[in-house]
Amino acid sequence: MLIVQKYGGTSVGSLERIENVAKRVAKARKEGNDLVVVVSAMSGETNKLIEYAKHFSKTPSKREMDMLLSSGERVTASLLAIALHEMGVDAVALTGRQAGIRTDNTHTYARIESIDTTAIRRELEQGKVVIVAGFQGINEHGEVTTLGRGGSDLSAVALAGALHADACEIYSDVDGVYTTDPRIEPKAKKLDYISYDEMLELSSLGAKVLQNRSVELAKKMGVKIIAKSSFSDGPGTIIAEEDEEMMEEVVVSGIALDKNQARVSLRDVADRPGIAAEIFNRLAEEEINVDMIIQNASREGTTNLGFTVPQSELERAKKAIAGFDHEFGSADYDENVCKVSIVGVGMKSHSGIAAKAFTAMAQSNINIEMISTSEIKVSMIIDEKYGELAVRVLHETYELDK
Ligand code: ASP
Ligand code: MG
């Protein structure tokens, strides 16, 4: 088997942990597998390098930031190779460039465009474990680029896709994806399996496990991911295309809580063609991420328009909207809201799932301010102080602890 393994920052967070990773790699190698191992920088290292740059400049050159930040992953890659040599395992560490990873020119947030796997294949053929510094590549001018925070996941998925690997194992300090945040609901259970789409919707649960962009890429390339802990030996969670057999009985897979939400309500908005386009184009120009949008049926020529934005963007949203104040009666803002979502592909084929959630909220006396649904998700905006309670109530309602 050809296996791509990726070890995150905490998994390689100290010399002892790198040694531990080396032992895992050596074991998988002795079992006869060909291995490509992608590593992150040691935990805290990337942040430390960013701080260093900030010491000199508030707006450091992005090109230089890529030179700087890509060094963290190189340190881990070469240390792991050295540790493996000591264990008698032949290994070679490669930078993103040496591994053939070509990206576009967007410094600090580059997109992988292609991977030339010739060098990796050559090393594999010589029986070596190939270690790749994650999070980086080069652009067409030969400049180092990085892939955005958490980008080593992306390196691993892209390599697994390009090499047609048999497995893509992503190791972190958690043993998989849970039905909800175990700090909120201790009865949360680890999922054996979750589809790409559910994972993307549950990103507030999975963010610690997998970078969102890497899940999107995995979906696009059909790379099956196994999220595991490098500190234990459990089977982890498989993230793959939805599979009818596996998911037939599961209607709801998980509950997510997003506290970073603020609500904007515009009352008595002039009801004329183009008004929504103008308002939301303005918000888009200001790079404000609008999430939920609700507009009522109009009455007597006016309507109410509500939407949510990330809390940190509320002030900017207020400013953007101020330019339209002749178009609406009054505006009302609430920072103390949160979004609870139930997610599951099984919803597609079951009815009454949303109603069950609303009933559960009613029985707990939680008022729902806004609702939005998609094929596989029901989201509710509620008072922030009931966020955790709502998660527990819903977890129980859909029997996710069973
Ligand atoms: N070291 C980079 C970061 O901290 C990339 C990664 O760890 O995936 O964001
Ligand atoms: Mg990570």
Side-chain angles (χ1 to χ4, degrees):
M1 290 231 291
L2 170 58
I3 303 176
V4 172
Q5 295 189 332
K6 182 256 167 177
Y7 292 93
T10 20
S11 299
V12 293
S14 66
L15 300 180
E16 295 75 47
R17 288 181 179 183
I18 292 176
E19 173 107 27
N20 172 51
V21 165
K23 283 183 191 151
R24 283 184 169 262
V25 172
K27 183 162 168 270
R29 179 73 189 124
K30 291 211 172 94
E31 286 163 4
N33 299 299
D34 282 336
L35 288 169
V36 173
V37 181
V38 177
V39 287
S40 283
M42 295 168 77
S43 61
E45 206 54 34
T46 307
N47 289 341
K48 195 179 85 188
L49 294 170
I50 292 172
E51 286 310 310
Y52 285 173
K54 283 197 180 144
H55 176 80
F56 298 104
S57 167
K58 274 194 200 121
T59 53
S61 142
K62 291 192 168 175
R63 187 230 175 242
E64 300 308 331
M65 284 310 283
D66 279 348
M67 279 296 288
L68 179 66
L69 298 191
S70 59
S71 69
E73 270 68 12
R74 289 179 63 161
V75 170
T76 329
S78 40
L79 288 176
L80 181 58
I82 293 168
L84 281 166
H85 295 162
E86 250 350 81
M87 293 174 187
V89 178
D90 205 358
V92 61
L94 305 178
T95 63
R97 169 193 210 127
Q98 291 169 324
I101 301 177
R102 262 286 308 275
T103 72
D104 66 11
N105 298 330
T106 321
H107 279 295
T108 74
Y109 201 69
R111 208 168 265 283
I112 296 176
E113 284 184 338
S114 64
I115 301 184
D116 177 353
T117 57
T118 320
I120 294 183
R121 292 209 182 271
R122 191 174 54 230
E123 301 289 0
L124 286 174
E125 265 156 38
Q126 291 173 12
K128 289 181 194 163
V129 169
V130 179
I131 302 162
V132 179
F135 175 56
Q136 57 189 278
I138 53 156
N139 65 19
E140 59 183 329
H141 311 298
E143 302 273 14
V144 177
T145 52
T146 62
L147 308 175
R149 297 308 304 270
S152 301
D153 291 344
L154 204 57
S155 310
V157 168
L159 282 167
L163 291 161
H164 305 287
D166 298 291
C168 180
E169 303 172 347
I170 307 250
Y171 290 90
S172 68
D173 54 353
V174 282
D175 60 354
V177 182
Y178 278 72
T179 49
T180 195
D181 185 340
R183 286 167 304 182
I184 298 176
E185 173 51 276
K187 284 187 243 163
K189 287 194 98 177
K190 187 187 71 64
L191 295 160
D192 293 331
Y193 174 88
I194 190 166
S195 71
Y196 299 123
D197 289 334
E198 288 170 312
M199 185 72 192
L200 288 167
E201 295 286 13
L202 287 172
S203 59
S204 73
L205 300 180
K208 266 197 77 198
V209 183
L210 273 178
Q211 186 216 37
N212 242 357
R213 267 173 105 187
S214 70
V215 181
E216 281 163 13
L217 186 69
K219 180 180 172 177
K220 206 163 113 191
M221 301 184 89
V223 171
K224 185 166 102 181
I225 298 174
I226 308 169
K228 294 184 179 193
S229 163
S230 64
F231 300 101
S232 58
D233 279 319
T237 299
I238 296 172
I239 300 133
E241 205 47 74
E242 58 187 80
D243 173 323
E244 309 214 330
E245 241 168 77
M246 283 173 121
M247 294 177 309
E248 205 152 12
E249 324 88 285
V250 196
V251 180
V252 172
S253 297
I255 317 283
L257 174 63
D258 179 359
K259 288 194 155 185
N260 181 24
Q261 292 265 332
R263 177 177 58 75
V264 178
S265 301
L266 306 180
R267 303 199 200 292
D268 303 319
V269 183
D271 193 20
R272 60 167 176 83
I275 181 76
E278 284 168 34
I279 292 178
F280 292 108
N281 274 326
R282 194 69 238 287
L283 292 164
E285 276 161 27
E286 298 294 322
E287 294 186 15
I288 294 162
N289 291 295
V290 176
D291 183 8
M292 250 190 230
I293 302 178
I294 286 176
Q295 187 186 316
N296 296 99
S298 78
R299 257 185 83 205
E300 290 158 11
T302 64
T303 184
N304 292 340
L305 185 61
F307 56 91
T308 63
V309 297
Q311 240 161 47
S312 54
E313 295 173 18
L314 179 62
E315 284 312 311
R316 280 166 48 224
K318 282 186 188 175
K319 275 201 197 113
I321 283 156
F324 293 95
D325 54 7
H326 54 286
E327 300 271 15
F328 55 80
S330 61
D332 165 63
Y333 307 96
D334 191 353
E335 273 193 55
N336 300 315
V337 296
C338 65
K339 179 172 77 173
V340 254
S341 307
I342 58 176
V343 175
V345 292
M347 281 183 209
K348 287 183 190 173
S349 51
H350 289 74
S351 55
I353 305 300
K356 208 167 163 184
F358 305 151
T359 307
M361 292 296 95
Q363 281 165 353
S364 311
N365 262 320
I366 300 173
N367 186 44
I368 307 169
E369 297 180 32
M370 288 167 102
I371 298 167
S372 83
T373 61
S374 78
E375 243 193 334
I376 66 164
K377 181 169 87 160
V378 178
S379 294
M380 295 168 279
I381 294 291
I382 61 171
D383 190 330
E384 193 169 74
K385 64 174 180 279
Y386 299 125
E388 277 92 1
L389 174 65
V391 168
R392 287 190 289 267
V393 166
L394 292 167
H395 201 266
E396 168 117 52
T397 300
Y398 297 101
E399 300 184 341
L400 295 183
D401 52 337
K402 298 282 153 62

